[in-house]
């Protein structure tokens, strides 16, 4: 076949989101009964195709999901149906493979989830139509230019470093965090400073036993780093007589690990329970419709009061039940407050709802002690064990899971005013992540055991500063009160998100330079650039001149900032993949019809 007539589709970045786009494209092509030859070019930086680096299959088993088994499914039951004859969800797959931890509420190792994704990808390849060829390129895509209505995708292939190029008609970007710096600098090269911890076995191997390690952050990545330096070094966690975990040292772990972050707080853990049936009370259909009419929403004035009310009602709904009382909803919030007032008069020792105590119980403290953090972790563990049905705190926090998809609709494409958009990105995004998207309770129990064993030290947990001298690899953690500790290793366990002054990644810088994309700017009332690309509601790129380019689409992490919470494994949240696949299929069909018409006209003449 003439290469000009061969249709080529590129998918840049092939983790779960790339796989989802691929699966939908095959489904639409199959439904349309397209028989002409098509090439699908897959570009991925590593050989972990379909799993991506987050779920790479060579990870140690102690790195587990914070997403229960019941929530994982690589397939969607929607038309057009997948070309795969078998579409097992994760639990079905686990059971078939003989895994012992296949229960819905359990948390699987990330490597096992990666193996599931790879198997799902194989199911598609095994039933690939003969006219479709998949070509995989392992390397780093660095540039893309438009040429004659097509796109040259430039990538550096593997370890050889050879520059290659592939011409594509349509391209889907499902890359990771595009704000990561790809250029190496002095601090990246130093063995004593680790800027990115994955894969942990490789990136943290330089950390010596009995050393002092500072870890920036106390989220999921930081927990992975801490476990890699302890359990990953041969340490063990065993249950003691009270059922709590005790850490058994291997002698190969660091002497002290000092986590530090802005708040100094651990994430609220999860217990794997399904979402409760309780409905939201204040985010009513009428209020949501009214908010959608206002394309300049104030978070503090319009949304935060509703969120606080949902937390408040969920909290007291459980607290009242614990005391044998019924809590009644009323559209007039003062009526609800009166119920609470009378309740506390009858039960003065009952806990009182306080928004600030929930979101940051140590807000007024400039520093925290190890004992304070340790006691707070034990409190969270106890609350999580009680669950949403018995813990007012967990019931309140769980409301965000129901609010989140509604908030996504209101936030996306500049729905908030610019000031609110900036404030949410810089403060509330991290806050709600800490409250709801935390680790399994098992991992917090491990952190507590490490704390009691003296390995984990929270002396510098809040408001610490680290001094770095790249020339001689010296680090020290210090507080405003003058307290200081010399450090042997510094681990950055924070994940870079899109933010003002983004586009540090070479590929996205070049896309910007070539005019294929432009930076999104929220101009509502004032101005805010969240550091993300501008797309339309179908996920298509907006070019430098403000025109929609239907040939280029984005899905997943690259859309963060203009959309909200692109969960890596979700098939429904901000599903640009289905829109993209349907459009590409239509474009291929239209081109085939033009070619056939041209051939018929040639025959006539």
């Amino acid at each position: 076949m003439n290469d000009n007539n061969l249709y080529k589709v590129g998918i840049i970045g092939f983790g779960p989101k790339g796989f989802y786009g691929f699966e939908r494209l095959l489904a639409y092509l199959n439904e349309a009964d397209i028989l002409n030859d098509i090439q699908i070019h897959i570009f991925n930086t590593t050989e972990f195709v379909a799993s991506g680096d987050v779920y790479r299959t060579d990870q140690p088993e102690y790195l587990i999901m914070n997403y229960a088994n019941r929530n994982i499914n690589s397939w969607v039951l929607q038309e057009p149906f997948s070309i795969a004859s078998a579409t097992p969800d994760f639990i079905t797959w686990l059971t078939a493979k003989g895994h012992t931890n296949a229960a819905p509420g359990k948390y699987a190792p990330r490597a096992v989830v990666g193996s599931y994704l790879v198997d799902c990808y194989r199911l598609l390849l095994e039933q690939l139509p003969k006219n479709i060829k998949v070509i995989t390129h392992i390397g780093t895509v660095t540039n893309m230019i438009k040429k004659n209505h097509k796109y040259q995708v430039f990538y550096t292939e593997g370890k050889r470093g050879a520059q290659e190029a592939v011409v594509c008609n349509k391209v889907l970007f499902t890359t990771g965090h595009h704000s990561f710096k790809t250029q190496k600098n002095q601090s990246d090269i130093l063995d004593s400073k680790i800027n990115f911890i994955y894969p942990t076995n490789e990136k943290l191997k330089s950390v010596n036993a009995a050393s002092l390690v500072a870890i920036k952050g106390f989220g999921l990545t930081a927990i992975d780093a801490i476990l890699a330096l302890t359990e990953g070094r041969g340490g063990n966690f065993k249950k003691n007589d009270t059922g709590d975990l005790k850490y058994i040292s291997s002698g190969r772990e660091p002497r002290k690990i000092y986590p530090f972050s802005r708040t100094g707080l651990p994430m609220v853990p999860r217990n794997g329970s399904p979402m409760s049936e309780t409905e939201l009370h204040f985010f009513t259909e009428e209020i949501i419709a009214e908010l959608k009419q206002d394309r300049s929403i104030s978070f503090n004035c319009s949304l935060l009061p509703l969120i606080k009310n949902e937390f408040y009602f969920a909290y007291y709904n459980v607290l009242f039940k614990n005391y044998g009382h019924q809590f009644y909803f009323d559209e007039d919030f003062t009526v609800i407050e009166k119920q609470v007032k009378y309740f506390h008069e009858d039960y003065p020792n009952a806990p009182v709802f306080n928004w600030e105590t929930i979101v940051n119980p140590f807000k007024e403290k400039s520093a925290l002690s190890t004992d304070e953090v340790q006691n707070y972790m034990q409190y969270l563990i106890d609350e999580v064990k009680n669950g949403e049905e018995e813990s007012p705190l967990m019931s309140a926090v769980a409301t965000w899971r129901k609010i989140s998809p509604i908030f996504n609709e209101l936030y996306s494409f500049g729905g908030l005013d610019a000031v609110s958009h900036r404030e949410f990105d810089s403060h509330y995004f991290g806050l709600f992540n800490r409250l709801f998207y935390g680790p399994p309770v098992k991992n917090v129990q491990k952190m507590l055991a490490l704390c009691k064993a003296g390995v984990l030290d929270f002396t510098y947990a809040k408001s610490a500063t680290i001094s770095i001298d790249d020339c001689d690899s010296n680090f020290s953690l210090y507080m405003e009160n003058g307290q200081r500790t010399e450090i042997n290793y510094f681990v950055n366990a924070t994940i870079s998100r899109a933010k003002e002054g983004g586009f540090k990644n070479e590929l996205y810088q070049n896309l910007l330079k070539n005019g294929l994309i432009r930076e999104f700017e929220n101009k509502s009332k004032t101005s805010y650039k969240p550091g993300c690309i501008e797309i339309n509601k179908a996920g298509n790129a907006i070019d430098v001149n403000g025109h929609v380019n239907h040939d280029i689409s984005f899905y997943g992490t690259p859309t963060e900032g203009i959309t909200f919470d692109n969960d890596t494994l979700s098939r429904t949240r901000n599903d640009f993949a289905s829109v993209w696949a349907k459009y590409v299929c239509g474009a291929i069909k239209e081109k085939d019809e033009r070619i056939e018409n041209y051939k018929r006209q040639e025959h006539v003449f």
Side-chain angles (χ1 to χ4, degrees):
M1 170 178 276
N2 186 330
D3 195 59
N4 289 325
N5 293 330
L6 181 63
Y7 211 91
K8 297 181 182 180
V9 180
I11 302 178
I12 300 175
F14 206 78
K17 294 296 192 188
F19 164 70
Y20 298 161
F22 177 73
E23 186 275 327
R24 285 292 81 197
L25 179 59
L26 294 182
Y28 275 102
L29 292 174
N30 181 60
E31 180 190 52
D33 200 26
I34 292 174
L35 301 177
N36 287 349
D37 290 341
I38 298 166
Q39 286 184 359
I40 301 176
H41 289 263
I42 289 169
F43 301 86
N44 203 53
T45 54
T46 68
E47 69 271 21
F48 297 99
V49 173
S51 66
D53 284 351
V54 174
Y55 307 103
R56 54 190 293 163
T57 54
D58 66 342
Q59 296 179 85
E61 291 217 340
Y62 55 78
L63 298 182
I64 62 176
M65 299 289 298
N66 71 329
Y67 210 44
N69 292 343
R70 67 165 56 84
N71 300 317
I72 301 174
N73 191 350
S74 288
W75 311 97
V76 284
L77 293 176
Q78 66 183 46
E79 294 183 345
F81 297 117
S82 177
I83 67 166
S85 56
T87 55
D89 61 31
F90 187 50
I91 292 175
T92 301
W93 180 87
L94 284 172
T95 304
K97 293 288 182 180
H99 286 275
T100 54
N101 271 345
K106 294 291 185 180
Y107 294 92
R110 289 208 293 269
V112 173
V113 175
S115 296
Y116 166 65
L117 290 163
V118 170
D119 269 9
C120 293
Y121 178 52
R122 285 174 185 154
L123 287 171
L124 293 177
L125 294 182
E126 287 169 1
Q127 298 174 62
L128 200 66
K130 291 181 179 179
N131 64 309
I132 297 175
K133 185 177 182 181
V134 175
I135 302 170
T136 303
H137 309 277
I138 304 301
T140 302
V141 176
T142 56
N143 199 1
M144 187 175 81
I145 61 172
K146 186 175 183 178
K147 190 174 183 181
N148 300 326
H149 303 290
K150 295 183 181 181
Y151 300 86
Q152 281 186 297
V153 179
F154 294 90
Y155 68 100
T156 303
E157 190 173 23
K159 296 179 180 178
R160 295 187 303 141
Q163 185 82 359
E164 306 284 348
V166 176
V167 176
C168 296
N169 300 80
K170 299 284 188 289
V171 182
L172 175 67
F173 287 83
T174 64
T175 55
H177 294 268
H178 59 256
S179 60
F180 284 157
K181 292 182 180 179
T182 54
Q183 302 89 345
K184 283 192 174 183
N185 56 40
Q186 178 68 16
S187 61
D188 292 321
I189 297 168
L190 292 171
D191 286 340
S192 53
K193 183 182 179 187
I194 295 110
N195 272 331
F196 189 66
I197 73 163
Y198 301 108
T200 56
N201 288 348
E202 176 186 325
K203 295 297 180 69
L204 298 174
K205 66 182 179 182
S206 63
V207 178
N208 293 328
S211 57
L212 300 177
V213 180
I215 295 185
K216 184 179 180 181
F218 197 29
L220 300 175
T221 305
I223 291 173
D224 284 352
I226 292 165
L227 291 177
L229 293 171
T230 52
E231 193 171 5
R233 297 287 181 88
N236 285 299
F237 293 94
K238 293 186 177 181
K239 282 189 177 181
N240 58 24
D241 295 338
T242 61
D244 296 325
L245 292 181
K246 181 180 180 181
Y247 181 67
I248 311 300
S249 172
S250 68
R252 295 167 51 206
E253 61 277 285
R255 180 158 57 92
K256 290 279 186 184
I257 299 175
Y258 297 97
F260 68 100
S261 65
R262 183 175 55 83
T263 65
L265 295 175
M267 301 180 83
V268 176
R270 312 169 84 172
N271 65 5
S273 61
M275 187 185 293
S276 69
E277 300 294 325
T278 309
E279 296 181 356
L280 296 174
H281 290 81
F282 300 95
F283 279 90
T284 62
E285 291 183 5
E286 294 76 17
I287 288 176
I288 294 168
E290 185 178 328
L291 287 168
K292 285 181 177 179
Q293 294 299 313
D294 180 9
R295 295 309 295 166
S296 183
I297 302 169
S298 166
F299 181 80
N300 283 328
C301 295
S302 300
L303 294 180
L304 189 57
L306 294 176
I307 294 169
K308 287 181 177 181
N309 286 351
E310 294 288 3
F311 274 52
Y312 184 96
F313 188 87
Y315 184 96
Y316 279 111
N317 193 39
V318 171
L319 187 61
F320 271 49
K321 186 177 68 174
N322 289 347
Y323 281 79
H325 288 266
Q326 179 71 41
F327 190 46
Y328 296 98
F329 172 75
D330 195 287
E331 292 182 0
D332 184 349
F333 196 72
T334 60
V335 174
I336 293 174
E337 289 178 312
K338 284 179 182 177
Q339 291 182 73
V340 171
K341 178 176 178 291
Y342 298 144
F343 172 82
H344 281 299
E345 287 176 357
D346 291 339
Y347 302 99
N349 295 324
V352 179
F353 174 87
N354 185 296
W355 170 259
E356 291 300 334
T357 300
I358 289 176
V359 300
N360 192 347
F362 303 114
K363 183 179 180 180
E364 302 305 320
K365 297 180 74 72
S366 59
L368 298 175
S369 69
T370 293
D371 284 345
E372 285 174 316
V373 180
Q374 182 174 306
N375 291 337
Y376 181 61
M377 283 195 291
Q378 185 62 64
Y379 164 71
L380 293 177
I381 290 168
D382 293 339
E383 292 298 304
V384 170
K385 286 181 178 179
N386 289 331
E388 294 175 33
E389 298 301 317
E390 296 182 22
S391 165
L393 170 70
M394 297 310 298
S395 178
V397 167
T399 59
W400 180 250
R401 179 162 42 180
K402 297 166 186 171
I403 295 169
S404 177
I406 298 168
F407 178 75
N408 177 50
E409 292 182 39
L410 301 174
Y411 169 98
S412 296
F413 304 100
L416 303 184
D417 64 56
V419 171
S420 295
H421 194 167
R422 177 187 281 110
E423 185 175 12
F424 184 86
D425 286 357
S426 62
H427 175 65
Y428 286 102
F429 180 91
L431 167 63
F432 288 122
N433 266 5
R434 178 167 56 78
L435 290 180
F436 187 71
Y437 299 107
V441 65
K442 180 181 178 181
N443 277 357
V444 179
Q445 289 173 313
K446 288 181 177 181
M447 296 302 105
L448 186 58
L450 288 168
C451 198
K452 290 178 178 178
V455 177
L456 208 52
D457 191 308
F458 290 101
T459 303
Y460 297 91
K462 183 178 182 180
S463 305
T465 303
I466 189 160
S467 65
I468 306 171
D469 186 343
D470 286 344
C471 296
D472 56 12
S473 308
N474 285 335
F475 310 100
S476 62
L477 271 177
Y478 63 93
M479 305 285 285
E480 286 186 3
N481 62 9
Q483 189 170 358
R484 180 182 292 265
T485 296
E486 297 301 316
I487 297 297
N488 303 117
Y489 297 91
F490 169 46
V491 178
N492 184 358
T494 61
I495 295 294
S496 177
R497 293 184 62 245
K499 57 185 178 181
E500 288 185 279
F503 297 105
K504 295 180 175 65
N505 176 282
E506 182 182 2
L507 170 60
Y508 285 84
Q509 283 181 336
N510 284 328
L511 293 177
L512 195 64
K513 190 188 303 179
N514 299 337
L516 295 175
I517 61 172
R518 73 178 184 183
E519 189 172 1
F520 171 66
E521 182 177 3
N522 186 333
K523 298 180 180 179
S524 176
K525 296 183 179 178
T526 178
S527 176
Y528 168 57
K529 291 183 178 181
C532 63
I533 55 176
E534 184 174 358
I535 56 174
N536 68 359
K537 292 186 178 181
N540 302 127
I542 308 295
D543 69 16
V544 67
N545 297 314
H547 300 140
V548 177
N549 187 341
H550 295 284
D551 297 335
I552 304 173
S553 296
F554 295 85
Y555 176 41
T557 301
T559 71
E560 282 286 349
I562 195 169
T563 63
F564 169 70
D565 190 21
N566 290 277
D567 186 342
T568 312
L569 292 178
S570 174
R571 297 263 351 209
T572 57
R573 181 66 66 93
N574 300 317
D575 180 21
F576 299 124
S578 295
V579 182
W580 168 79
K582 184 177 182 179
Y583 175 77
V584 171
C585 180
I588 293 172
K589 192 171 183 180
E590 184 181 330
K591 182 182 178 183
D592 289 348
E593 289 172 352
R594 286 201 308 269
I595 292 171
E596 289 302 315
N597 288 337
Y598 179 75
K599 287 178 179 178
R600 283 196 292 270
Q601 289 172 2
E602 270 193 332
H603 182 71
V604 169
F605 289 105

